[in-house]
Amino acid sequence: MKRKIAILGATGSIGTSTLDLIERAPERFEVIALTAGTDAEGLANAARRTRAKLAVIADQSRLAELEARLAGTDCRAATGAEALNEAASGEADWVMAAIVGCAGLVPVMAALEAGRTVALANKEALVSAGALMTDAATRHGATLLPVDSEHNAIFQCLAGSRRDDVSKLILTASGGPFRTTSEADIRAATPEQAVAHPNWTMGAKISVDSASLMNKGLELIEAHFLFGLPPERIEVLIHPQSVVHSLVEYIDGSVLAQLGSPDMRVPIAYALAWPERMPTPAERLDLASIGSLEFEQPDLQRFPALRIARQALVQGGAAPTILNAANEIAVASFLGGQIGFTEIASLVEQAIERAVAGAPSSIEDVIQVDLETRRAVSELIEARCH
Ligand code: NAD
Ligand code: MG
């Protein structure tokens, strides 16, 4: 029986890596549905190659182009929230959640409520919805498989052990392009410098998050909700080589780590074949040629985003939702040249300080807090620019 696949965000960095693996193993996988934001050409090409049945484009103005590019195939072109939910919860039994940002929340919830296996790359959705998402997975018998390399590493290191035997989780972080940059130079950082990640090739938003260490902050919150450990038992360790993808310390002092070359196809393949494994073309790890691995403490002075994210997790309530929404707006404004790099963290901190909202009790609440925060942070940015 072939695994039936849907990919939400099929034209992005994670989406194309997922397609690459699927197209190398056509005997194992059948592509049912693919979605994209605006890239009708990339979506149509992928749908043609994989003989997908449904292609959904979020940007309605690109539907006609998508239809034209799919002419003569059996693939239906569609747009809109309903079509996106159909892609996530229809015929497919395995769903890659690789939309960037909170825009991916509603389809992820649709997939979980339909009891699907969801491979989660879209960390913003989980940070924003928190326990509402993991509870939905439990209630509907859905499976949530972590794709983020750190969480996938931890998931692998936890296999076959009792949760009570875990003492802490250690998330590694490359430190990003500004690991050794002075505070003054970080302040003057351009979007080009911020997206130039030393070890990984990724979408623009997560690349900026990696440069500010907000990515690790989001991952701290992601780890809390995925694995159920309290914040004080989840640590962050800078490891510039990105070879050790994360570690689990057990009560007897044993530490288990997962290692590999920095290629997202490895964690994606683990989720695709789970509970089995499948071959990947990822470069094999050559430890002798790497020679030595380095580790250091994160510098919370130069990278306040990590401290702010930890505070948001400890604070709880709506704070993680606000953190994520404020960061999405701030990062987009930084990429658009409206604000400086260090303003990202200060805007996020201000948004959390102004928070009055209690804990969201439904996904509708989460979306409401998300929208209100976006509006408030946009106003703060407007005010600064005038
Ligand atoms: P990307 O920007 O390369 O791709 C994003 C995808 O989402 C594209 O297909 C785009 O068309 C689609 N999209 C964007 N906005 C949308 C909207 N409003 N509605 C519907 N679709 C929309 O991003 P990426 O690097 O592939 O990252 C995707 C997710 O995976 C992010 O949450 C990121 O944090 C996470 N992630 C990525 C990596 C990586 O190596 N790239 C690693 C770990 C986690
Ligand atoms: Mg990661």
Side-chain angles (χ1 to χ4, degrees):
M1 270 267 286
K2 288 187 182 182
R3 193 161 259 190
K4 294 182 172 177
I5 307 287
I7 306 176
L8 313 176
T11 55
S13 164
I14 294 289
T16 50
S17 292
T18 308
L19 283 166
D20 176 79
L21 290 166
I22 287 171
E23 291 181 74
R24 286 168 195 270
E27 70 291 354
R28 296 178 80 126
F29 305 107
E30 179 186 357
V31 174
I32 304 294
L34 300 175
T35 86
T38 55
D39 180 4
E41 183 178 4
L43 179 59
N45 287 344
R48 277 184 176 271
R49 288 197 320 269
T50 58
R51 298 172 189 276
K53 297 177 179 173
L54 174 64
V56 180
I57 189 103
D59 181 347
Q60 305 202 356
S61 70
R62 306 287 175 108
L63 180 62
E65 180 192 346
L66 181 64
E67 280 169 341
R69 290 185 183 277
L70 287 172
T73 71
D74 293 331
C75 184
R76 179 161 58 92
T79 186
E82 214 165 293
L84 189 54
N85 284 355
E86 184 189 339
S89 59
E91 203 188 319
D93 44 46
W94 188 99
V95 181
M96 168 55 81
I99 289 175
V100 59
C102 206
L105 175 58
V106 170
V108 169
M109 289 302 297
L112 293 173
E113 283 165 5
R116 302 295 185 260
T117 296
V118 176
L120 187 79
N122 184 196
K123 67 192 87 185
E124 297 92 347
L126 177 57
V127 168
S128 200
L132 290 168
M133 182 180 287
T134 48
D135 287 352
T138 310
R139 215 171 39 249
H140 297 280
T143 304
L144 207 46
L145 299 172
V147 170
D148 215 347
S149 57
E150 299 76 4
H151 307 73
N152 188 272
I154 288 169
F155 188 62
Q156 294 196 38
C157 295
L158 288 172
S161 56
R162 296 188 323 148
R163 290 301 153 96
D164 286 351
D165 292 339
V166 173
S167 58
K168 68 181 181 196
L169 307 179
I170 303 165
L171 294 170
T172 54
S174 69
F178 304 144
R179 183 176 62 88
T180 58
T181 306
S182 71
E183 222 170 328
D185 288 346
I186 292 177
R187 196 170 292 281
T190 64
E192 292 67 35
Q193 292 169 324
V195 298
H197 197 278
N199 305 345
W200 302 92
T201 316
M202 310 181 286
K205 194 264 176 181
I206 183 177
S207 297
V208 175
D209 286 345
S210 299
S212 67
L213 288 200
M214 181 59 88
N215 183 51
K216 215 47 57 179
L218 297 174
E219 290 184 356
L220 177 69
I221 300 173
E222 182 185 14
H224 167 75
F225 288 116
L226 282 173
F227 305 116
L229 265 76
E232 66 276 12
R233 284 167 57 198
I234 311 174
E235 290 177 4
V236 171
L237 182 65
I238 303 292
H239 165 47
Q241 290 85 7
S242 298
V243 165
V244 177
H245 296 305
S246 276
L247 313 93
V248 175
E249 185 193 276
Y250 285 91
I251 50 174
D252 58 1
S254 292
V255 178
L256 267 55
Q258 186 258 353
L259 285 69
S261 60
D263 185 331
M264 283 307 293
R265 290 178 297 185
V266 176
I268 294 169
Y270 190 78
L272 265 174
W274 184 86
E276 299 171 12
R277 287 188 187 257
M278 63 184 277
T280 79
E283 201 180 307
R284 300 298 110 148
L285 196 58
D286 181 355
L287 286 171
S289 77
I290 292 169
S292 61
L293 298 174
E294 297 159 286
F295 302 93
E296 64 195 38
Q297 286 295 334
D299 179 350
L300 300 183
Q301 177 68 33
R302 284 183 305 134
F303 300 101
L306 181 56
R307 168 182 58 75
I308 296 164
R310 186 179 283 279
Q311 271 167 11
L313 174 58
V314 172
Q315 188 178 325
T321 313
I322 295 169
L323 174 95
N324 178 68
N327 183 59
E328 285 193 33
I329 292 294
V331 169
S333 300
F334 168 69
L335 286 170
Q338 289 149 270
I339 63 168
F341 184 74
T342 49
E343 282 179 279
I344 298 173
S346 64
L347 282 164
V348 172
E349 192 160 37
Q350 278 183 66
I352 295 172
E353 279 164 2
R354 294 161 126 230
V356 283
S361 59
S362 66
I363 292 300
E364 291 69 34
D365 269 6
V366 170
I367 294 168
Q368 183 69 24
V369 172
D370 176 87
L371 288 174
E372 277 167 15
T373 306
R374 283 165 196 270
R375 202 176 314 125
V377 176
S378 300
E379 280 169 18
L380 282 174
I381 293 169
E382 285 282 303
R384 281 177 185 217
C385 297
H386 290 296

